[in-house]
Amino acid sequence: EIRKARATSTVLGWVDAGLSGCQALSGKVATFCGITYQTPGSLVRRMVPILEPLIDTFNSNSALTASCKNTIKEVMCKGFFPQCSSDASTATYQSLTSACNSISSCGGNSAININGVNSASLCSDSGKSINLKSCSKYTLNSINPGICGNLPANITFPSLSMGDLATNGALASGLSAVLLPSIVTSACRTRWEKFLCTSTPYCSSDRSRILSAVTKQQCQSALDCLPSALKTSFSASYKCDSYPDQSGLRVCVDPSQGFTQADSAANLKCNRASAISIGSTLFYLACMLLAYFH
């Protein structure tokens, strides 16, 4: 009875990082942006692999004036990478008032569109500060009721992840227009729906760590089910190395506090481990009692 109840009571989450943590940009993105301050490590891991391949294309774009290039670069760099405080407790987006006023003559909202994040979204964060050590519930019950269903009742998210929820919900709605039944299997489309619904990092039960329901291998599996042209396109936006490795540290989470795994076998591994742990404990206690009364 206990084994059966426990076997359905947890889902698996991979430890992505500590709740807070800041680092400097490096490599091509650091040179491009000219940013020397520390920025949240979770953003560095997620955004640097996406931005790096775009830099050469952006620099060689002859359709943009030098002034527009500087404006777009400022909005993109400062908009994606807020500055951490000295104690890494908060991150503040630099003021973008002047650049955001100028971007209307450089393409407006379409000047930047990376993973569903456009110029207006980045400009809306100008000057805002984020508490890097807090977790909170999303303001809505679902990011996309028709595709994703309701969020787990007690799941909480790092402040930096809040924008990802709305973006992923919108991207899930657009899948049907891209993953057409004539070129993508229904299983592959379902895989991508699950990916977008559950890929936002969330907080551990004790709110000390960031967890992921998606691994590097699951991300790659989702890309591999696409036809080659779509795979190339999606690979530019979804960098699988930014997700935890499936062999990394993982924890079992109450289903009201974490996403159900896209891979049901992964949940079974978590549940089976929990059941065995309880069974072993009960067996140990039974042996102790028998020895005592013997």
Side-chain angles (χ1 to χ4, degrees):
E1 293 292 332
I2 293 176
R3 178 184 293 269
K4 183 177 181 181
R6 181 61 174 170
T8 58
S9 65
T10 54
V11 294
L12 189 62
W14 277 264
V15 176
D16 192 17
L19 184 58
S20 61
C22 298
Q23 65 186 81
L25 290 172
S26 60
K28 184 182 288 188
V29 174
T31 303
F32 174 75
C33 290
I35 289 176
T36 57
Y37 55 73
Q38 298 263 310
T39 194
S42 58
L43 289 179
V44 174
R45 289 193 307 279
R46 187 168 79 243
M47 292 309 305
V48 165
I50 293 172
L51 294 178
E52 278 186 340
L54 303 178
I55 291 174
D56 289 340
T57 303
F58 176 82
N59 286 335
S60 62
N61 188 342
S62 59
L64 291 173
T65 65
S67 176
C68 277
K69 282 185 178 180
N70 288 334
T71 295
I72 293 170
K73 180 165 69 172
E74 182 177 358
V75 173
M76 186 163 57
C77 292
K78 292 181 178 178
F80 279 122
F81 302 113
Q83 181 174 0
C84 287
S85 60
S86 57
D87 63 355
S89 63
T90 62
T92 302
Y93 289 95
Q94 308 252 315
S95 175
L96 290 169
T97 303
S98 177
C100 289
N101 287 337
S102 301
I103 206 167
S104 59
S105 61
C106 301
N109 287 346
S110 62
I112 300 171
N113 193 342
I114 299 173
N115 279 27
V117 178
N118 60 22
S119 308
S121 176
L122 295 175
C123 287
S124 68
D125 287 331
S126 174
K128 288 183 180 179
S129 289
I130 293 175
N131 187 336
L132 296 178
K133 296 188 176 182
S134 70
C135 297
S136 56
K137 287 187 176 183
Y138 190 49
T139 53
L140 302 176
N141 292 328
S142 176
I143 64 172
N144 189 314
I147 296 175
C148 301
N150 287 340
L151 289 167
N154 298 314
I155 194 170
T156 60
F157 300 92
S159 300
L160 283 172
S161 293
M162 288 299 179
D164 295 341
L165 289 163
T167 299
N168 285 342
L171 289 173
S173 292
L175 280 178
S176 59
V178 180
L179 306 185
L180 300 174
S182 58
I183 58 174
V184 176
T185 66
S186 60
C188 185
R189 190 162 53 252
T190 298
R191 187 187 294 268
W192 273 99
E193 289 176 350
K194 186 68 175 178
F195 179 91
L196 290 173
C197 291
T198 64
S199 62
T200 303
Y202 63 97
C203 293
S204 59
S205 302
D206 62 1
R207 303 191 177 192
S208 66
R209 294 179 289 188
I210 298 175
L211 304 180
S212 174
V214 174
T215 66
K216 175 171 63 176
Q217 288 80 4
Q218 290 166 355
C219 169
Q220 189 60 53
S221 178
L223 289 174
D224 288 343
C225 77
L226 297 170
S228 58
L230 277 179
K231 181 178 179 179
T232 300
S233 175
F234 274 50
S235 294
S237 297
Y238 299 98
K239 300 299 182 181
C240 296
D241 283 343
S242 66
Y243 297 96
D245 191 279
Q246 67 181 12
S247 64
L249 181 62
R250 55 193 180 213
V251 294
C252 290
V253 182
D254 186 282
S256 70
Q257 298 177 319
F259 287 121
T260 300
Q261 254 289 322
D263 179 2
S264 59
N267 282 320
L268 289 174
K269 291 176 186 176
C270 177
N271 295 330
R272 190 174 296 116
S274 299
I276 291 172
S277 176
I278 290 177
S280 299
T281 302
L282 290 175
F283 178 75
Y284 174 76
L285 290 174
C287 290
M288 289 292 289
L289 289 172
L290 285 173
Y292 177 81
F293 288 110
H294 182 74

